[in-house]
Amino acid sequence: MTEIVTETEAEAVSESESETETETATMTVSGTEGGPGAVAPAHRPGDRPAHHYWQGAFIGDEEAGRRLADLPAVVETALATVLETETVLAACDALATALRDPVHPVRVRLAAHLPEGEDPAVLGELGHLLGRRELTRKLRRELGSPTPGRLNRPDPRETVYEAWAPVGLVAHIAPGNAATVAPLSIVEGLLAGNVNILKTSSGDTLLCRDLMAELAAQDPTGALAARVIVLRFPSSRQEWLRLMCAPADAVAVWGGEGAVEGVRAHVPAGCRLVEWGHRISFAYLTGDAWSDAGTLDALAHDVCLHEQQACSSPQVVYLDTEDEGEVFAFAERFAAVLAARPPAVLPASTEGPNPAEEAELTTTELVARLEEHLGLTRVFAAPDGSWRVMADTRSPLTASPLSRSVWVKPLARRSLIATLRPMRRYLQTAGLAGSATDTAELSRTLLAAGATRVTPVGAMLDSYAGEPHDGVYALQRYSRRVAVQADPARFATTACLDDLAGPVVLPLPSGPLLGKEDVQERNRHVTRDDAELYFRSGGSTGAPALSIFSYDDYDTQMHAAARGLLAAGYDPVGDRTANLFYCGSMYGSFISFFSVLERLGGVQLPMSAGPDHRATARALIDLGADTLFGMPSYLWQLLHAEADALRAYGGLRKIFYGGEHFTREQQRTLKATFGIEVIRSITYGSTDLGPLGYQCTESSGGVHHLHADLHTMEILDLTEDRPVAPGETGRLVFTTHARRGQHLGRYVIGDLGRQVAGRCACGRHAPRFELRGRTGDVMRVATYFLNHGRFLDLAEDGGHRGELQIRLDAAETRERLTVRVERGGATDPQMLRETFLAGYPELRSAVTERLLDLVVEAVDGASLDRSPTSGKLLAVVDGRR
């Protein structure tokens, strides 16, 4: 996550450093002092300095030494629980928000520990890197998923589960001259789920220690604190270094070969050594490019930015030529460009190159000047020594002494690999300037020669989230790819093995409740980077609402819905599926389930719902469909309109429905009439939040499991904003944790439900809930609250098997409630009216008191009111307004 050239303490700190620190002070992290996320101060009156941070406490040397001896047991305890990726992301995002605010108490506290002369803006840059957007993108790019640690099926057609697992303990040996390298490395270790122990230089400030404490303070679960240890000691204290590395599963070290070798001696056999060593970068210019003034300006930018202190800074400029005269001429022109650049601006604490660096600069320039007499070189340098361009007729790569010192050399493209490959272990960035064709051809050649990055000249020091570093992904170096093969017969419907192992623990929701209007208002402020996909709701409960997604969020949700469909009994190997959801007008059902089937690898007939039932039935028969996806209203109409043909076909076996419910009587009819074997909810969700719940093979009716890796759920009282008692019906409130650029927390979705107690017979730990209708289905009529679901249950008890809709109208003297039922062979409106009155005391009282007229009428199913977008039956049509 960094490109800065770093110097480990093994090189920078002398062995004569004091080792007399014997403090024993211990202080725990405080979540309240100094504001949200505050940490206990490093010093208190009477305390000795506590330079170390150990799993939530600041401790001194004596205590650190004692704890180091027990490090293996500490690691085993921490690894016994799984670290949810969302826990890391939420804490990092909270800290990032604080770091980006110049006046936030957390940033003010940390700024006090910046090295002298360090620009406080570095904390804002760190905040950008720690934001949810950047870290999620990094997870996706490097590990393929925002939740890489979950054992999912990479191929849903096989019961093989794979995940990225932590290596265990990662020991980080941090550099002594780059303030952000160490904390970013620990964050990478946390994203991979590891326990992390970090060594910083004894000459460093307490920035990293306090930064990690602030991060841990953002996590109320304590899971992050349990996985972070920061020690500050000199490299001369070899015993501590040995104790750090002995139980490590990976050791990450920054620095040159000497520093790496100094650490390698302590790395046990089988431990992964992750080297972030010094690298050399260069620019390569074709003939068309080196004559362009803009190219020279861009090259000077790369040389002067950070004064060549970054691994990606160019030390050599290669020209695609064998003509020595062109090399000398270019060097003279480029020297003029460097001379026009403003002088270096160094931090107040830096006085320029130290004596050793000055000696290297002087020696390199002097040797090059001496070789001018042999016709090998030509030197162009500033009188004050602030820059130098050294033209050399010999092609082999030569390291620069830095500080705006650049070699210029000839290297014809046909000799690129032969010349550069011997240095392949040290190569990093190649800044390339040439035509589009040159860029394509030379990029391949430069990569073959050993470069790990190719960028345009002028952008050599630029980076992007998730970019590989020195040819590898850091998160993969801190992870293991693991697999579990399971019995296909027993695990056919288990999409994620972790669902059977334990519950997902996500941060608890907080903040105000949100309604549809609040979410619509927030949608207006979603930035272009996050607004990549637009859907509209079906409008069955009001005006269609707009929902906005990023493609990453959409992908996460479709994978979740796919896992839920497997749990419900969908077979991606054997099922032939007709997608009969409605399509068009930005409605998402058809598109979403097209995406779900694509991710499952299932056979799909993307037909969509249409008015020509005969043509649809013919296609189902001709193409051998055995599974139907769609809205209950539409599927009920289709099956009954083409009952003879579809019964004769006899091939339909499964129905997965969404948006509405099939009643128990309807399901019995479908199974008896058409031979359907499985009828289950395809998902429970909303256009705003995506998939919220899924059914398993043990679920029936409105019972669903929560997608607990995406959302948390609350059930609140109907009239007060408080939790209901266990098992009581209330308003369903969801907080989604998997959205980019939007905070959809505590969203009152408009549905009613109750929690289902106990663990499901399917073995999953995900919470269960039962849908109990919508808040709009509860009607205020004639001073009484009446529920559409109650009418539906009573109609079923009376033998009704079709659809049912309620219409409310205002008459001259009293209100009128009309129950419109789909006409069938045994439909008796009068008998149903008597059933409603007998079984619904509140309705009977309203009619008896002459506050309400009750009418029951039998109608054709096609005449019932439906949403024009989704085709969903409107449960209640209120004509009183």
Side-chain angles (χ1 to χ4, degrees):
M1 298 174 78
T2 181
E3 289 288 338
I4 301 297
V5 174
T6 55
E7 176 183 32
T8 65
E9 191 185 0
E11 298 172 302
V13 179
S14 71
E15 295 298 315
S16 63
E17 281 186 298
S18 170
E19 296 188 41
T20 61
E21 303 167 0
T22 58
E23 300 81 357
T24 60
T26 301
M27 288 160 280
T28 59
V29 173
S30 164
T32 57
E33 183 177 347
V39 297
H43 304 282
R44 288 175 178 165
D47 284 334
R48 295 180 177 180
H51 291 159
H52 316 293
Y53 176 80
W54 191 291
Q55 294 183 305
F58 294 134
I59 62 175
D61 271 20
E62 278 190 28
E63 181 66 19
R66 284 194 294 269
R67 296 191 185 193
L68 268 173
D70 294 328
L71 183 59
V74 168
V75 174
E76 292 164 9
T77 301
L79 290 175
T81 58
V82 175
L83 177 61
E84 296 289 348
T85 307
E86 176 57 31
T87 301
V88 184
L89 292 175
C92 286
D93 197 52
L95 179 59
T97 300
L99 293 178
R100 293 194 296 266
D101 181 357
V103 298
H104 195 284
V106 170
R107 175 158 167 173
V108 172
R109 286 196 294 269
L110 293 173
H113 292 302
L114 284 170
E116 184 181 354
E118 185 78 57
D119 188 348
V122 71
L123 293 176
E125 296 170 4
L126 185 61
H128 171 73
L129 294 173
L130 292 178
R132 178 181 291 272
R133 175 198 301 275
E134 298 302 313
L135 293 185
T136 302
R137 186 179 181 192
K138 182 179 181 67
L139 283 166
R140 282 185 174 277
R141 192 181 292 269
E142 299 191 27
L143 299 182
S145 165
T147 54
R150 294 183 64 76
L151 280 162
N152 291 315
R153 287 153 67 163
D155 185 342
R157 295 166 294 190
E158 302 172 346
T159 53
V160 173
Y161 303 85
E162 292 184 7
W164 287 101
V167 293
L169 173 66
V170 179
H172 307 260
I173 314 299
N177 67 337
T180 62
V181 170
L184 289 176
S185 186
I186 289 185
V187 168
E188 288 175 329
L190 289 171
L191 287 171
N194 294 291
V195 180
N196 300 269
I197 184 167
L198 167 73
K199 173 199 177 301
T200 65
S201 164
S202 62
D204 279 352
T205 71
L206 297 175
L207 176 65
C208 186
R209 184 203 70 169
D210 283 8
L211 188 61
M212 289 299 98
E214 296 284 5
L215 176 62
Q218 305 298 330
D219 169 29
T221 71
L224 297 191
R227 285 171 168 79
V228 176
I229 300 168
V230 179
L231 303 178
R232 180 173 175 263
F233 64 92
S235 293
S236 57
R237 192 172 286 175
Q238 292 289 297
E239 178 62 12
W240 277 28
L241 192 59
R242 184 189 68 79
L243 289 171
M244 271 183 62
C245 294
D249 301 284
V251 176
V253 58
W254 284 259
E257 291 183 345
V260 173
E261 288 305 314
V263 173
R264 192 189 302 274
H266 299 288
V267 176
C271 178
R272 185 180 298 176
L273 182 62
V274 182
E275 302 177 32
W276 303 116
H278 293 167
R279 295 292 186 269
I280 297 177
S281 298
F282 60 91
Y284 192 84
L285 314 181
T286 65
D288 292 338
W290 80 59
S291 59
D292 177 63
T295 301
L296 271 65
D297 283 336
L299 180 60
H301 168 80
D302 286 340
V303 170
C304 297
L305 187 62
H306 300 318
E307 304 303 315
Q308 292 180 291
Q309 296 300 305
C311 290
S312 50
S313 301
Q315 299 188 36
V316 180
V317 178
Y318 280 118
L319 305 183
D320 183 13
T321 184
E322 295 177 329
D323 189 329
E324 298 173 2
E326 290 181 321
V327 172
F328 294 146
F330 173 84
E332 185 174 11
R333 289 178 57 223
F334 186 55
V337 175
L338 279 185
R341 284 269 155 174
V345 179
L346 299 174
S349 61
T350 305
E351 299 178 357
N354 60 40
E357 293 166 340
E358 286 283 7
E360 184 183 6
L361 287 166
T362 302
T363 301
T364 301
E365 181 178 338
L366 180 59
V367 171
R369 287 191 182 279
L370 289 173
E371 291 183 329
E372 285 184 342
H373 302 291
L374 302 176
L376 298 174
T377 61
R378 190 170 299 172
V379 178
F380 304 90
D384 62 358
S386 60
W387 58 265
R388 57 195 53 77
V389 179
M390 299 165 288
D392 189 343
T393 60
R394 294 159 294 189
S395 296
L397 191 69
T398 305
S400 158
L402 311 181
S403 298
R404 301 195 183 189
S405 302
V406 184
W407 290 99
V408 179
K409 293 171 173 276
L411 181 55
R413 63 182 69 194
R414 67 172 178 272
S415 303
L416 265 170
I417 293 180
T419 302
L420 295 177
R421 184 166 163 73
M423 297 290 288
R424 61 190 178 278
R425 289 182 55 207
Y426 306 99
L427 299 182
Q428 195 208 63
T429 303
L432 179 57
S435 67
T437 300
D438 286 334
T439 298
E441 294 176 353
L442 289 170
S443 291
R444 276 293 179 188
T445 305
L446 291 166
L447 295 174
T452 59
R453 297 175 75 232
V454 178
T455 74
V457 169
M460 293 179 65
L461 283 79
D462 294 349
S463 63
Y464 57 87
E467 181 178 16
H469 184 66
D470 291 346
V472 297
Y473 280 140
L475 296 185
Q476 291 186 5
R477 301 296 299 275
Y478 297 159
S479 304
R480 299 172 294 135
R481 190 64 175 172
V482 296
V484 176
Q485 299 183 47
D487 178 7
R490 296 176 58 202
F491 290 88
T493 61
T494 302
C496 178
L497 210 56
D498 295 284
D499 291 342
L500 305 180
V504 177
V505 180
L506 296 179
L508 295 175
S510 61
L513 296 176
L514 300 179
K516 181 184 292 187
E517 296 77 13
D518 301 311
V519 173
Q520 290 300 294
E521 176 60 29
R522 292 188 177 200
N523 282 345
R524 297 187 180 94
H525 304 287
V526 177
T527 65
R528 170 62 183 83
D529 290 342
D530 300 314
E532 296 169 330
L533 184 59
Y534 289 75
F535 286 126
R536 285 195 182 277
S537 67
S540 55
T541 58
L546 184 67
S547 298
I548 302 173
F549 300 85
S550 70
Y551 282 119
D552 284 346
D553 292 343
Y554 178 75
D555 179 67
T556 296
Q557 294 183 353
M558 294 305 101
H559 277 290
R563 293 193 296 270
L565 195 52
L566 282 177
Y570 178 79
D571 178 8
V573 175
D575 293 348
R576 295 178 61 82
T577 306
N579 184 349
L580 295 173
F581 279 103
Y582 282 82
C583 186
S585 300
M586 296 171 62
Y587 185 59
S589 291
F590 176 85
I591 297 170
S592 296
F593 287 103
F594 181 96
S595 300
V596 167
L597 285 169
E598 181 181 29
R599 283 154 178 78
L600 287 170
V603 175
Q604 176 173 192
L605 312 175
M607 300 167 63
S608 80
D612 191 340
H613 295 321
R614 178 171 297 180
T616 300
R618 187 75 263 158
L620 296 177
I621 296 167
D622 291 345
L623 297 174
D626 56 22
T627 302
L628 306 182
F629 285 6
M631 290 282 188
S633 300
Y634 175 78
L635 296 178
W636 182 263
Q637 295 175 64
L638 169 66
L639 291 169
H640 283 81
E642 297 298 321
D644 292 342
L646 293 174
R647 275 201 304 266
Y649 166 54
L652 298 180
R653 297 183 300 107
K654 296 181 181 180
I655 288 178
F656 293 98
Y657 62 88
E660 305 168 293
H661 294 288
F662 279 117
T663 67
R664 293 189 301 273
E665 284 299 321
Q666 286 176 323
Q667 292 197 32
R668 279 195 287 267
T669 298
L670 294 176
K671 291 178 178 180
T673 305
F674 299 96
I676 306 296
E677 300 167 6
V678 173
I679 302 176
R680 287 200 182 95
S681 167
I682 196 170
T683 192
Y684 164 64
S686 77
T687 308
D688 293 311
L689 298 178
L692 297 167
Y694 62 93
Q695 288 200 323
C696 65
T697 55
E698 302 293 331
S699 300
S700 61
V703 176
H704 290 75
H705 285 275
L706 177 70
H707 279 295
D709 56 334
L710 299 184
H711 315 283
T712 52
M713 181 185 69
E714 303 169 80
I715 303 179
L716 302 184
D717 184 78
L718 294 175
T719 57
E720 299 180 18
D721 295 340
R722 60 174 177 79
V724 299
E728 286 189 3
T729 297
R731 294 171 294 160
L732 296 181
V733 179
F734 293 93
T735 296
T736 182
H737 300 270
R739 290 295 279 275
R740 195 181 81 196
Q742 299 178 73
H743 176 66
L744 298 180
R746 308 199 73 199
Y747 185 6
V748 184
I749 197 171
D751 287 336
L752 302 176
R754 67 176 186 91
Q755 189 161 4
V756 179
R759 188 173 173 185
C760 183
C762 73
R764 292 175 176 83
H765 289 267
R768 289 182 295 161
F769 59 97
E770 182 181 14
L771 297 173
R772 307 287 287 176
R774 288 191 59 82
T775 54
D777 293 348
V778 178
M779 305 159 278
R780 176 80 173 186
V781 185
T783 75
Y784 291 94
F785 286 102
L786 303 178
N787 193 318
H788 173 273
R790 188 76 173 274
F791 283 93
L792 203 57
D793 291 342
L794 290 169
E796 284 191 30
D797 292 343
H800 178 64
R801 292 175 174 78
E803 297 180 302
L804 180 150
Q805 183 177 74
I806 293 176
R807 180 173 178 87
L808 301 173
D809 295 289
E812 290 185 7
T813 58
R814 60 183 66 90
E815 293 179 311
R816 182 171 64 248
L817 186 152
T818 304
V819 182
R820 308 174 72 198
V821 295
E822 182 183 8
R823 182 181 291 113
T827 304
D828 185 339
Q830 184 57 37
M831 187 188 71
L832 282 175
R833 187 177 187 278
E834 293 173 1
T835 299
F836 293 144
L837 290 172
Y840 208 153
E842 293 85 353
L843 175 66
R844 184 171 62 250
S845 295
V847 172
T848 301
E849 295 167 7
R850 301 181 62 81
L851 300 175
L852 177 70
D853 288 334
L854 175 63
V855 178
V856 178
E857 58 183 32
V859 300
D860 291 334
S863 68
L864 295 173
D865 294 315
R866 304 178 191 276
S867 165
T869 303
S870 65
K872 187 187 298 186
L873 177 71
L874 303 180
V876 178
V877 179
D878 195 340
R880 296 174 297 180
R881 296 187 292 273

